[in-house]
Amino acid sequence: MWCIGKITGQHIAQTEEILDLYGLEVPDNVAVVCFDERPCVLQNDVYTPLSMKSGKIKKIDFEYQRKGTANLLLAYDIHSGKRFGQVRKQRTKFDFAQFMDWLEQRYPNKDKIIAVLDNLNTHNYGSFYENLSIERASQLRKKIRFQFTPKHASWLNMVELEFAALSKQCLNRRIGTIALLENEIMAWIKERNKSRIKIKWSYTTEKARQNLAKHYIKISNNN
């Protein structure tokens, strides 16, 4: 289940915390969102593709121009099924803080936001204080609670399923500019939200204990 490295009690604890959170009925004043970032490579065609014709597929030359990169920040609300996204030029503490500031404003009637995310070095409260006013950083720190996934276990984050769908449905072609990338992704998010597509998560703490039984036993024996 984890790609590499030794599985520790901390891995097990973080896994159960997230799976318990997914199965928990939270109060109306609490939102649970899964968040992650995805780099996107911008590419242009060198030669104009040949359009589809009757009985023939569209033909694209293998050669392309690399036009830089962009970064997609995406959050998925596990209860409402809504997605919130931004496309930015970089992947920095500033961009993370700006996105979380913007995301919090999408929840004016919530007292607490629990954000499931990975351990990227920009994903911390320090990013708020370094890029926002002290007052605003303090507000976000008090309202947003981070729930980190174990290292090498990004599969526990529901938003990874959204990235998989996005890759197949939207990003499976060459996109050469940030403006076009943003338009395409925002249209995809709008359509997905309009269709009320929700993730049906079935992996529970009980199933994890069955699948990872040998690791539970090993950790217990070490103690």
Side-chain angles (χ1 to χ4, degrees):
M1 311 287 292
W2 286 272
C3 296
I4 59 176
K6 179 182 178 182
I7 296 179
T8 66
Q10 180 65 10
H11 287 103
I12 297 294
Q14 288 180 309
T15 297
E16 289 202 358
E17 285 175 353
I18 291 174
L19 295 179
D20 287 346
L21 176 63
Y22 288 166
L24 187 67
E25 291 187 10
V26 298
D28 291 338
N29 65 336
V30 176
V32 179
V33 300
C34 292
F35 166 83
D36 202 0
E37 304 180 48
R38 182 192 189 280
C40 301
V41 178
L42 303 176
Q43 298 176 336
N44 264 346
D45 292 308
V46 175
Y47 303 102
T48 303
L50 300 179
S51 301
M52 288 189 296
K53 295 181 180 180
S54 179
K56 295 184 178 181
I57 63 173
K58 180 179 180 180
K59 296 180 180 179
I60 301 175
D61 191 83
F62 72 92
E63 190 175 353
Y64 63 87
Q65 291 179 325
R66 185 182 172 97
K67 308 297 288 186
T69 61
N71 188 46
L72 167 62
L73 301 94
L74 184 66
Y76 170 74
D77 188 311
I78 72 170
H79 293 120
S80 71
K82 289 185 177 180
R83 297 141 191 85
F84 306 93
Q86 287 185 358
V87 174
R88 291 177 166 267
K89 294 181 179 180
Q90 296 178 303
R91 186 177 188 175
T92 66
K93 291 183 178 181
F94 173 80
D95 296 291
F96 174 70
Q98 289 288 311
F99 180 84
M100 286 296 170
D101 184 10
W102 172 81
L103 179 66
E104 186 276 334
Q105 295 176 52
R106 312 276 80 76
Y107 292 96
N109 299 321
K110 302 293 185 181
D111 297 324
K112 181 72 66 175
I113 300 173
I114 303 174
V116 176
L117 70 175
D118 64 20
N119 294 270
L120 191 67
N121 60 359
T122 59
H123 296 170
N124 55 64
Y125 295 122
S127 296
F128 297 164
Y129 285 90
E130 293 174 20
N131 295 284
L132 304 170
S133 69
I134 299 298
E135 293 75 15
R136 182 57 177 157
S138 179
Q139 290 175 353
L140 294 180
R141 175 181 59 79
K142 293 175 181 177
K143 183 170 181 177
I144 301 175
R145 192 194 94 192
F146 295 151
Q147 182 67 60
F148 293 105
T149 58
K151 290 183 179 180
H152 313 300
S154 60
W155 57 272
L156 285 168
N157 194 332
M158 284 194 200
V159 80
E160 297 299 327
L161 298 175
E162 291 297 308
F163 281 148
L166 175 68
S167 296
K168 293 179 181 179
Q169 300 171 3
C170 181
L171 303 182
N172 58 347
R173 62 193 186 280
R174 292 172 186 167
I175 299 177
T177 66
I178 290 181
L180 179 58
L181 177 70
E182 182 175 29
N183 287 340
E184 294 294 311
I185 290 178
M186 292 305 113
W188 178 85
I189 289 175
K190 182 178 179 180
E191 178 60 30
R192 206 157 169 86
N193 286 342
K194 181 180 178 181
S195 300
R196 298 174 181 263
I197 297 173
K198 293 185 69 175
I199 295 173
K200 295 181 180 179
W201 186 268
S202 60
Y203 196 71
T204 63
T205 299
E206 290 71 22
K207 289 183 180 180
R209 289 179 178 178
Q210 294 173 9
N211 294 343
L212 303 172
K214 64 179 181 179
H215 298 293
Y216 277 84
I217 294 173
K218 184 176 180 180
I219 290 171
S220 178
N221 289 341
N222 288 341
N223 294 330

